[in-house]
């Protein structure tokens, strides 16, 4: 209770106190779980100290006399973390989680900052993990055999590593992100970390983990006769890709990225006009007229800012939209119809996620797969991708593209007399089918069938699935 270097602590103890007993004296109570990252907060909320004394005697007034003066020791180390990306760029975090191998401490600064003070109970030879939230991104750091001694102060500059989302988990919300050869998605308009090679810009996702990437490098210019004579066409996740015909045409710089991390991809290709248009729109370009989309520099900004991509300088064409004299092309100024030229270069795309198997090519090896309303086959016992609606299970294939599907929804219950009086019987690939007679009998199947009718008709042929 003094302003000097020492004070007197007074309190009441219960129980029997004898000479030689050890007493543990504590100042304040520990509270480290939630901090604000400042020294002021630590002083007000984390100032926890402890001393141990040995009883020398108890005098006639029951006062405990210690063998020596109590020396209080702070029960925490104070660490100033300076968060950096690539060792130089400050990372202004809105949250930092510090884990010492046993306990989390969550630090939430009042405003985003790269300098965060944390009170940490002393540890010895522990693994410390940091997880920082920076905008919509997450950065991590981990180091083993770390020791923080109670009562000590530390200043540590930490090189954080981005915790990347994988291309295999890409959705439409990731449009514009940079794709590196390792299969990671990086924030748009930023340099990829050391050791990563940027290969493209995510520009179209047809369903979760399936889509198209706009390449950062060009293939060589092509002769229009070569273009129009291409016969290798891939139907990839709903997009037809014209595969660049050979390594010479693709250019040496496009041959080494047919695998992105663990994500299978198609070959380099030139997409349709609609695919390019979707890419540009997703990257921020705006519709200008009936001929196409204004380019307005948005795509170039993504390609050239900090990711080592070459700016679009010439004109680049789409795969097949050709009427003999004109072609859909794009350049740094516009996207639209242009007179074709043999000197046009190729701004290719990369399809990723693997091809979707359409129901129309189903074989006996596909029995048991899930059928979605879009007419795709998905692996059994797995959830269909985002945006797809499962309608049935492929149960019989009588020949390629023909068979029967077990519906995932039930019709309403029927009386056997109604069932036995059905007259609509069709022999389909040696299988007799009895059609549910009307909407009332079909019950909950009507809307399901209507929604999938056009997509499934090519698979089932007759009888046509309709609402009659």
């Amino acid at each position: 209770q003094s302003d000097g270097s020492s004070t007197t602590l007074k309190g009441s103890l219960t129980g029997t106190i004898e000479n030689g007993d050890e007493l543990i004296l504590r100042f304040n109570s520990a509270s480290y779980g939630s901090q604000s990252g400042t020294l002021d907060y630590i002083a007000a909320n984390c100032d926890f100290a402890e001393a141990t004394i040995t009883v020398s005697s108890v005098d006639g007034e029951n006062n405990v006399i210690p063998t020596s003066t109590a020396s209080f020791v702070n029960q925490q180390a104070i660490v100033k973390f300076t968060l950096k990306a690539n060792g130089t760029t400050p990372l202004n975090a809105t949250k930092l989680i510090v884990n010492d191998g046993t306990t989390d401490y969550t630090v939430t600064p009042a405003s985003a900052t790269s300098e965060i003070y944390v009170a940490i109970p002393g540890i010895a030879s522990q693994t410390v993990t940091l997880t920082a939230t920076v905008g919509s991104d997450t950065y991590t750091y981990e180091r083993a055999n770390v020791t923080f001694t109670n009562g000590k102060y530390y200043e540590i500059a930490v090189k954080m590593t981005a915790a990347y989302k994988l291309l295999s988990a890409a959705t439409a919300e990731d449009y514009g992100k940079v794709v590196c050869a390792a299969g990671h998605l990086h924030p748009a308009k930023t340099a990829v970390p050391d050791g990563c090679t940027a290969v493209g810009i995510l520009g179209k996702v047809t369903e979760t983990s399936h889509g198209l990437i706009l390449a950062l490098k060009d293939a060589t210019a092509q002769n229009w006769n070569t273009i129009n004579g291409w016969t290798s066409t891939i139907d990839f996740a709903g997009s037809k890709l014209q595969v660049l015909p050979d390594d010479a045409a693709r250019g040496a710089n496009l041959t080494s990225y047919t695998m992105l991390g663990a994500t299978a991809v198609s070959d380099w290709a030139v997409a349709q006009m609609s695919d390019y248009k979707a890419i540009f729109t997703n990257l921020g370009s705006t519709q200008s007229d009936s001929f196409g989309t204004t380019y307005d520099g948005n795509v170039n900004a993504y390609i050239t800012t900090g990711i080592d991509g070459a700016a679009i300088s010439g004109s680049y064409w789409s795969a097949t939209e050709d009427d003999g004299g004109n072609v859909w092309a794009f350049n740094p100024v516009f996207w639209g119809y242009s007179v074709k030229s043999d000197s046009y270069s190729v701004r290719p795309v990369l399809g990723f996620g693997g091809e979707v198997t359409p129901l129309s090519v189903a074989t006996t090896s596909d029995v048991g797969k899930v059928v979605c309303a879009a007419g795709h086959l998905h692996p059994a016992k797995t959830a269909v991708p985002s945006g797809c609606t499962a309608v049935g299970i492929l149960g019989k294939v009588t020949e390629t593209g023909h068979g029967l599907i077990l519906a995932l929804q039930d019709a309403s219950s029927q009386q056997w007399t109604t069932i036995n009086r059905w007259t609509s019987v069709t022999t389909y690939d040696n299988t007799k089918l009895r059609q549910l007679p009307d909407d009332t009998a079909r019950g909950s199947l009507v809307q399901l069938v209507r929604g999938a009718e056009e997509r499934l008709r090519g698979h089932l042929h007759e009888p046509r699935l309709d609402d009659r």
Side-chain angles (χ1 to χ4, degrees):
Q1 288 181 316
S2 72
D3 294 329
S5 61
S6 64
T7 189
T8 299
L9 300 180
K10 186 175 182 180
S12 298
L13 302 176
T14 59
T16 302
I17 308 297
E18 299 177 347
N19 296 352
D21 286 348
E22 284 194 342
L23 301 180
I24 299 175
L25 310 179
R26 289 174 175 160
F27 173 77
N28 287 342
S29 58
S31 178
Y32 303 113
S34 179
Q35 303 180 38
S36 69
T38 66
L39 287 174
D40 288 342
Y41 180 91
I42 292 174
N45 300 277
C46 304
D47 188 6
F48 175 51
E50 189 173 278
T52 301
I53 62 171
T54 301
V55 177
S56 171
S57 62
V58 179
D59 64 18
E61 296 181 356
N62 287 330
N63 293 319
V64 173
I65 309 300
T67 58
S68 60
T69 302
S71 178
F72 280 87
V73 177
N74 289 327
Q75 296 303 296
Q76 71 289 119
I78 298 177
V79 185
K80 177 187 177 183
F81 292 111
T82 301
L83 309 181
K84 295 184 177 182
N86 301 320
T88 57
T89 306
L91 284 177
N92 293 319
T94 55
K95 183 169 72 173
L96 179 68
I97 298 176
V98 183
N99 184 290
D100 66 0
T102 57
T103 309
D104 288 345
Y105 310 111
T106 300
V107 184
T108 307
S111 59
T113 179
S114 62
E115 297 183 346
I116 297 177
Y117 295 87
V118 186
I120 300 176
I123 58 174
S125 301
Q126 295 287 341
T127 297
V128 171
T129 302
L130 305 181
T131 303
T133 300
V134 181
S136 61
D137 300 304
T138 301
Y139 289 78
T140 63
Y141 173 85
E142 182 174 288
R143 184 164 182 170
N145 297 317
V146 176
T147 297
F148 291 139
T149 303
N150 286 336
K152 300 292 185 179
Y153 173 79
Y154 302 84
E155 289 188 353
I156 303 175
V158 183
K159 180 181 177 180
M160 305 288 287
T161 301
Y164 307 116
K165 186 174 184 179
L166 295 178
L167 181 63
S168 58
T171 63
E173 69 181 14
D174 299 306
Y175 284 144
K177 287 189 175 180
V178 179
V179 183
C180 75
H184 300 154
L185 295 174
H186 302 275
K189 302 184 183 180
T190 61
V192 296
D194 295 338
C196 291
T197 302
V199 297
I201 302 294
L202 183 61
K204 182 179 182 182
V205 175
T206 54
E207 59 184 84
T208 300
S209 78
H210 292 76
L212 301 175
I213 301 167
L214 181 65
L216 292 179
K217 296 181 179 180
D218 304 325
T220 56
Q222 305 298 308
N223 181 278
W224 280 105
N225 291 332
T226 302
I227 298 169
N228 294 332
W230 285 353
T231 57
S232 179
T233 302
I234 296 177
D235 190 346
F236 179 81
S239 298
K240 288 190 179 296
L241 305 181
Q242 291 281 128
V243 178
L244 297 175
D246 53 49
D247 288 350
R250 296 172 195 163
N253 56 357
L254 291 182
T255 58
S256 59
Y257 298 118
T258 54
M259 288 293 293
L260 294 181
T263 302
V265 298
S266 72
D267 218 332
W268 290 107
V270 181
Q272 302 291 302
M273 177 271 293
S274 59
D275 297 317
Y276 283 126
K277 187 174 178 180
I279 289 173
F280 297 151
T281 301
N282 293 334
L283 296 183
S285 295
T286 55
Q287 187 78 30
S288 62
D289 51 42
S290 60
F291 292 102
T293 302
T294 299
Y295 189 13
D296 60 39
N298 281 293
V299 178
N300 253 349
Y302 278 90
I303 292 174
T304 60
T305 306
I307 54 175
D308 301 325
I312 293 178
S313 57
S315 294
Y316 304 87
W317 35 257
S318 59
T320 57
E321 287 77 12
D322 170 35
D323 65 356
N326 295 308
V327 67
W328 285 99
F330 63 96
N331 59 40
V333 178
F334 75 96
W335 164 264
Y337 224 31
S338 177
V339 177
K340 66 182 182 180
S341 167
D342 288 349
S343 64
Y344 282 175
S345 298
V346 181
R347 175 65 63 158
V349 300
L350 192 61
F352 67 90
E355 295 184 35
V356 174
T357 303
L359 184 62
S360 58
V361 297
T363 64
T364 54
S365 64
D366 298 306
V367 170
K369 288 186 176 181
V370 177
V371 183
C372 74
H376 301 154
L377 293 174
H378 303 276
K381 299 183 180 180
T382 60
V384 297
S386 175
C388 291
T389 301
V391 296
I393 303 294
L394 184 62
K396 181 178 182 181
V397 176
T398 54
E399 61 184 81
T400 300
H402 294 77
L404 300 174
I405 300 169
L406 180 66
L408 292 179
Q409 294 187 23
D410 302 327
S412 56
S413 59
Q414 306 297 314
Q415 292 182 346
W416 279 107
T417 54
T418 302
I419 295 172
N420 293 334
R421 292 175 182 170
W422 285 354
T423 58
S424 178
V425 178
T426 302
T427 299
Y428 178 79
D429 289 321
N430 299 318
T431 299
K432 289 187 179 296
L433 304 181
R434 286 193 176 262
Q435 291 179 297
L436 296 176
D438 52 44
D439 287 352
T440 301
R442 294 171 195 168
S444 59
L445 288 179
V446 176
Q447 295 302 320
L448 179 65
V449 170
R450 285 175 178 166
E453 176 188 349
E454 293 300 327
R455 300 181 183 93
L456 301 182
R457 188 183 302 158
H459 183 69
L460 290 176
H461 294 289
E462 294 296 336
R464 175 179 174 182
L465 291 176
D466 58 22
D467 59 355
R468 290 175 292 176

